Amino acid sequence: MFMPDLSDVGPPATGPGLPERIPEAPPPPVKIHIVHAEGDEVIEELIREILLTTPDAQITRDIGNPDSCEIKINDKLIFSKEKLGNYPANDEIAEIVKWGHKGKSMLHMYLCSVAEGGEPRMVITDRKNTPLAKRLIMSCTIS
């Protein structure tokens, strides 16, 4: 294999008119807001799982109706029991929070999961085979 001679390559150029490289700042901590029924053990377990995967997550809570369970991440509604009819899978929410904490968007998570071999022809209601991030994006673009 041919390797070019790199002996004449020095440090990056500096001087007037050349941009300075600014180090990347870490993304801000992910903010989660959960509206749930009072004494809801499913939500208590969800919060425990979120904090196991993302200890720096900032979680706020409000007590809602007896049937309520809405989850917002960074002010974006990602789950509504009223709309979907059941509770979310804790591992899916914890995974989304983990990647959101690393600065990834829902679209990024969707595209990465398709690139990793996800089936592009999915059904919104196929919960078992379609990760939550995909179902959310599909529900926003289809309905």
Side-chain angles (χ1 to χ4, degrees):
M1 181 163 113
F2 172 74
M3 292 295 294
D5 180 14
L6 299 178
S7 61
D8 62 343
V9 176
T14 58
L18 294 174
E20 286 187 42
R21 183 164 179 90
I22 300 171
E24 288 188 37
V30 67
K31 295 178 183 171
I32 302 131
H33 183 73
I34 303 173
V35 178
H36 61 90
E38 191 169 357
D40 192 335
E41 284 300 316
V42 174
I43 296 302
E44 298 300 325
E45 182 59 35
L46 171 64
I47 290 171
R48 282 191 288 276
E49 189 156 344
I50 288 171
L51 291 175
L52 278 174
T53 60
T54 314
D56 295 334
Q58 298 175 355
I59 301 175
T60 57
R61 303 159 61 164
D62 281 327
I63 302 299
N65 298 329
D67 292 348
S68 64
C69 175
E70 289 196 343
I71 302 169
K72 290 183 179 182
I73 295 180
N74 295 334
D75 295 324
K76 293 178 179 63
L77 182 66
I78 66 152
F79 185 86
S80 172
K81 182 179 172 190
E82 179 184 339
K83 304 253 188 245
L84 297 174
N86 54 8
Y87 284 99
N90 290 356
D91 58 335
E92 288 181 337
I93 298 296
E95 182 80 6
I96 289 170
V97 169
K98 178 182 83 174
W99 288 107
H101 185 67
K102 293 181 179 185
K104 306 300 181 193
S105 68
M106 291 295 286
L107 180 59
H108 177 93
M109 289 183 250
Y110 169 75
L111 293 174
C112 286
S113 62
V114 170
E116 291 172 358
E119 175 64 43
R121 293 169 293 165
M122 295 165 284
V123 179
I124 294 172
T125 57
D126 185 7
R127 182 166 194 231
K128 181 179 178 187
N129 297 314
T130 307
L132 180 60
K134 291 180 186 178
R135 292 195 315 268
L136 288 169
I137 289 174
M138 291 173 67
S139 66
C140 294
T141 57
I142 292 174
S143 57

